[in-house]
Amino acid sequence: MSAFKDVGHLFRFAGIFVALFVIFLIVRVYVVPKSFGEYGHYRGNAITDIAANPIKYAGHEACETCHVDVQDVKKNGKHAHVNCEACHGPLARHADDPSSMTPVKPDTATLCVRCHAASAARPKTFPQVNAEEHSTGLPCQTCHQPHNPAIAAGGTK
Amino acid sequence: MKITRRQMLILLPAAAVAWEHVLAGTPESSPNYKLSDHWWSMLIDVPKCIGCGNCVRACQAENDVPDGYFRTWVERYHVSDENMTNPVVISPNGGKDGFPPVAKEDEGKYFFVPKLCNHCADSPCTQVCPVGATFVTPDGVVLVDPKYCLGCAYCVQACPYGCRYIHPQKEVADKCTLCYHRITKGLTTACCEACPTGARQLVDLKNPNDPIHEFLRTHAVQVLKPQMATGAKVFYNELDGSVR
């Protein structure tokens, strides 16, 4: 029995342990964000933080609200389903405030070959040209209207 | 400066209210968006991809992805007749500047495979995170909380698709968010917006009117590495057997 005669020390240790644990619980309440665990083991507000990031591509619906004339040219052509910003680049700033920036017209000599340069790796049915043979390197819009490129369709400039 | 008991009693609740505000974080940005109404994913129509690299450029512009890192990239496969199971795969600068042209006389078949985060329903990357910094949202998108991420890179190793990287400046894990800031506002992703052939399409599996349901019924569609049981949600139409 003599081994347990100083058991009072253990109660003191246990008391300190419990006190520290209570302090930990109190600190935890204040340090862990409110939204932690809202949907799972993560900060729920991270979802809204990420959703609040600014957009750079306005989306073709935004373009079409003003540029109806381009839409009319495009809609019957081969490029009807190519969105505006696929060629013109990200223009959300222009869509928000048209006067804040004027988009630069893409250079067709370098733009069109991104998709249409001949390569056996591309799907066979996709229209491809060897720019040197096809036009001796002239800008494509010398002959083609990029918004409706087929020449037979009256798309020439 | 002396603070009386009365002043203290006024100051304490004020401080508590301010602290509540700090904890609450940013307010809801898309009030009409309901998380439980969506289950996002993407369809990649492999035969439509022409390897122009528009998606890679759009992703980098939209999400400020640093040079040399990719949230999406395009691979070009070359499968020769003699060795069907060992394709030659190239992805110069992620396909951002296009691919070197191939002359007609070259042997074998070529095709392009755009890659991105598969937004797995049972994602290995979120399971290994020790601090709860990455997670699958209730609408099916795998995201990283940059405020919680320590940059330990466990998730980078865990992803079987190689879709994560440590951001060189922020020093936290970074990855495709499926343009979460766009899709919650009713827009499509930047890569889908910029794709000229419709090879990439944003999909909402919980939307009964989404054409994906008809498409999945009528086409030969696979996901990448189905044997990993990740619940990958990026669907590939007519994917070649040599793609890993």
Side-chain angles (χ1 to χ4, degrees):
Chain A
M1 283 309 285
S2 61
F4 295 103
K5 71 175 180 189
D6 292 326
V7 76
H9 292 305
L10 294 179
F11 285 121
R12 241 172 283 159
F13 264 120
I16 290 169
F17 182 80
V18 168
L20 287 176
F21 187 68
V22 168
I23 290 169
F24 164 76
L25 287 181
I26 292 167
V27 169
R28 191 178 177 279
V29 165
Y30 284 100
V31 170
V32 175
K34 268 266 170 61
S35 67
F36 198 95
E38 191 178 351
Y39 307 110
H41 187 69
Y42 59 90
R43 198 170 60 95
N45 276 348
I47 296 180
T48 37
D49 285 359
I50 292 168
N53 284 344
I55 61 166
K56 309 265 172 69
Y57 280 79
H60 62 100
E61 292 91 348
C63 312
E64 285 157 11
T65 52
C66 298
H67 299 281
V68 186
D69 50 331
V70 180
Q71 179 59 12
D72 285 343
V73 177
K74 256 181 80 187
K75 69 182 178 198
N76 298 319
K78 282 273 199 181
H79 284 169
H81 298 292
V82 180
N83 293 331
C84 313
E85 287 160 308
C87 300
H88 292 278
L91 290 170
R93 262 180 65 210
H94 173 73
D96 283 345
D97 178 12
S99 61
S100 70
M101 75 171 282
T102 315
V104 181
K105 277 199 174 154
D107 178 6
T108 53
T110 53
L111 176 79
C112 305
V113 289
R114 274 187 202 164
C115 296
H116 292 289
S119 171
R122 295 209 155 110
K124 301 279 170 294
T125 50
F126 187 76
Q128 302 161 47
V129 292
N130 185 324
E132 281 300 313
E133 290 172 15
H134 181 79
S135 63
T136 64
L138 277 173
C140 307
Q141 61 179 13
T142 314
C143 303
H144 298 276
Q145 152 63 262
H147 290 138
N148 186 352
I151 287 172
T156 41
K157 283 196 81 176
Chain B
M1 191 177 113
K2 266 188 85 177
I3 296 178
T4 63
R5 183 182 298 180
R6 179 190 290 265
Q7 282 169 327
M8 190 61 147
L9 284 172
I10 294 167
L11 275 174
L12 273 179
V17 168
W19 184 236
E20 286 286 286
H21 186 76
V22 171
L23 286 180
T26 44
E28 186 80 23
S29 60
S30 317
N32 296 324
Y33 182 82
K34 250 184 90 182
L35 290 165
S36 54
D37 286 351
H38 305 275
W39 192 247
W40 296 109
S41 63
M42 195 175 275
L43 172 69
I44 309 279
D45 205 342
V46 177
K48 282 189 181 172
C49 183
I50 56 171
C52 63
N54 250 9
C55 49
V56 185
R57 288 188 291 273
C59 178
Q60 297 211 321
E62 179 75 30
N63 298 298
D64 295 318
V65 180
D67 261 346
Y69 295 82
F70 303 96
R71 290 185 178 194
T72 184
W73 67 99
V74 182
E75 294 171 357
R76 189 176 78 189
Y77 277 67
H78 176 207
V79 188
S80 66
D81 299 354
E82 296 80 31
N83 202 348
M84 294 293 285
T85 52
N86 278 309
V88 177
V89 186
I90 63 163
S91 185
N93 199 14
K96 192 181 170 187
D97 313 315
F99 290 83
V102 175
K104 279 211 172 62
E105 54 267 25
D106 281 20
E107 287 285 315
K109 68 175 165 186
Y110 288 87
F111 52 89
F112 299 97
V113 183
K115 296 231 172 133
L116 70 154
C117 171
N118 286 271
H119 293 284
C120 307
D122 304 310
S123 59
C125 57
T126 60
Q127 289 168 33
V128 299
C129 182
V131 295
T134 184
F135 48 87
V136 186
T137 63
D139 45 355
V141 181
V142 178
L143 295 177
V144 178
D145 180 356
K147 286 185 183 160
Y148 258 54
C149 180
L150 304 166
C152 74
Y154 281 4
C155 57
V156 178
Q157 292 191 40
C159 176
Y161 307 101
C163 294
R164 285 169 170 256
Y165 57 89
I166 298 294
H167 193 288
Q169 281 91 44
K170 297 177 193 164
E171 297 182 333
V172 294
D174 203 31
K175 65 178 287 296
C176 164
T177 62
L178 206 66
C179 281
Y180 199 72
H181 58 299
R182 298 176 60 86
I183 61 177
T184 50
K185 296 183 183 92
L187 295 165
T188 188
T189 66
C191 56
C192 292
E193 184 67 33
C195 180
T197 64
R200 310 172 70 118
Q201 279 157 49
L202 180 71
V203 162
D204 183 0
L205 290 168
K206 274 197 186 167
N207 176 2
N209 300 322
D210 196 305
I212 185 66
H213 303 295
E214 176 67 14
F215 194 95
L216 290 177
R217 269 199 295 275
T218 51
H219 290 75
V221 177
Q222 306 185 43
V223 294
L224 295 177
K225 300 188 185 181
Q227 74 277 12
M228 303 287 290
T230 56
K233 284 201 272 94
V234 173
F235 304 110
Y236 285 83
N237 181 37
E238 288 190 36
L239 189 71
D240 192 82
S242 63
V243 178
R244 286 164 300 196

